[in-house]
Amino acid sequence: MAQQLIHHPSSWIERLARFGYISKGVVYGIIGLLAVQAAMGSGGKTTDPQGALREIVNQPFGQFLLALVAIGLIGYVIWRFVEAIKDPDNKGTDAKGLAQRAGYAINGFIYAGIALTAIKLALGTGGNANSNSTQDWTARVLSQLFGQWLIGIIGALIIGLGFYQFYKAFSNKIRKGLNLSELSTKERNWVMFICRFGAAARGVVFCIIGWFLIQAATQSDASEAGGLDQALQTLAQQPYGPWLLGIVALGLIAYGVYMVVQARYRQFATS
């Protein structure tokens, strides 16, 4: 029965999940494209998922397009919670399995927030474009008892996720769940190169964001925290900054392609 469900294209959860991966890929693709333009000095900017959503809504038919992206992101959130609760990939209930499933749930909550932003923007109630959500929630946590420790732990976990992205990029784990049998060997090699490049670029960004949070914790200063846009700005400010930014930006576009590859070739076990 499980084997049938893996290949069953009419599963509504599977359809939502595939649409969700595409929407996530679109968001990362826009972030990467804007950063490439900034690195080349031809306009563009460093931004985060919320900024990418604002770019979509400012296009012709932007509210309609953003509504589609919002639906996709909701599908992605549902799939993440299915992975966390129903455990279709059999991660198990040992410490490692529970940690992975908890990671799926946390990822689901993060993208639920991004989906909510997309819905608000599509409805024309997007709020303050100048607010920094990373610094806002960091400040709230720092104000709590043991807040500095908690922010430091979160920063360390995000750096750990960054190193996991590197491990994923340079191991066969990145191919897990993908059925690329219909592609030629040359096509498979190119697809996997793009996917590995994308995962590695995301690892770089995660490590920088985690370091920001550790700095915020050690200095008890929420202004030290930063998200994806600040991570890209930091790269741009280094020696050879435009090159560094350009390489990572291309990597984020590659990560967007990786999400589309997941949407097209992933085998889903929905039960």
Side-chain angles (χ1 to χ4, degrees):
M1 180 65 179
Q3 190 67 23
Q4 288 178 334
L5 282 166
I6 288 174
H7 300 288
H8 199 274
S10 64
S11 165
W12 66 273
I13 293 177
E14 180 184 325
R15 288 177 180 272
L16 273 175
R18 292 189 191 281
F19 190 26
Y21 277 113
I22 291 171
S23 294
K24 183 180 177 183
V26 167
V27 170
Y28 267 93
I30 291 171
I31 293 169
L33 181 60
L34 289 171
V36 165
Q37 291 175 333
M40 294 174 63
S42 58
K45 59 184 177 181
T46 58
T47 190
D48 56 9
Q50 288 78 9
L53 297 176
R54 290 188 177 92
E55 285 295 316
I56 295 172
V57 82
N58 289 332
Q59 303 307 309
F61 308 105
Q63 287 181 297
F64 173 72
L65 294 174
L66 190 56
L68 291 178
V69 170
I71 293 169
L73 291 175
I74 291 169
Y76 181 78
V77 170
I78 291 172
W79 172 243
R80 278 314 199 194
F81 287 134
V82 167
E83 287 184 302
I85 297 167
K86 297 187 71 177
D87 192 23
D89 293 323
N90 297 314
K91 298 297 182 183
T93 55
D94 59 4
K96 181 181 177 182
L98 289 175
Q100 287 179 301
R101 292 167 68 180
Y104 295 147
I106 291 168
N107 194 242
F109 281 116
I110 290 170
Y111 276 90
I114 296 172
L116 181 60
T117 298
I119 293 167
K120 288 180 178 179
L121 286 169
L123 295 174
T125 58
N128 183 9
N130 297 317
S131 66
N132 188 317
S133 59
T134 303
Q135 292 182 1
D136 292 344
W137 70 257
T138 301
R140 285 197 294 272
V141 175
L142 283 174
S143 67
Q144 307 302 313
L145 188 64
F146 303 116
Q148 282 180 265
W149 283 100
L150 185 55
I151 290 296
I153 290 169
I154 293 172
L157 287 173
I158 291 175
I159 290 174
L161 285 174
F163 278 98
Y164 176 73
Q165 293 294 314
F166 295 141
Y167 163 69
K168 189 175 179 180
F170 299 110
S171 71
N172 287 328
K173 196 170 185 68
I174 200 163
R175 285 195 62 168
K176 188 175 181 181
L178 295 177
N179 182 5
L180 304 176
S181 58
E182 65 185 71
L183 301 179
S184 67
T185 301
K186 185 176 181 181
E187 289 170 337
R188 278 199 300 273
N189 289 339
W190 269 107
V191 166
M192 294 319 303
F193 171 78
I194 292 170
C195 294
R196 292 181 196 280
F197 181 32
R202 197 166 181 242
V204 170
V205 169
F206 275 5
C207 287
I208 296 172
I209 293 172
W211 176 248
F212 286 158
L213 287 174
I214 290 174
Q215 290 292 98
T218 56
Q219 299 180 31
S220 192
D221 183 359
S223 67
E224 293 291 327
L228 179 53
D229 50 344
Q230 285 84 9
L232 294 174
Q233 286 172 23
T234 298
L235 287 170
Q237 292 161 4
Q238 304 308 306
Y240 305 102
W243 285 98
L244 290 173
L245 177 61
I247 291 168
V248 173
L250 287 172
L252 294 178
I253 294 173
Y255 185 77
V257 173
Y258 175 36
M259 291 297 97
V260 175
V261 170
Q262 288 274 359
R264 174 64 181 83
Y265 295 108
R266 178 162 176 167
Q267 293 179 301
F268 286 88
T270 52
S271 176

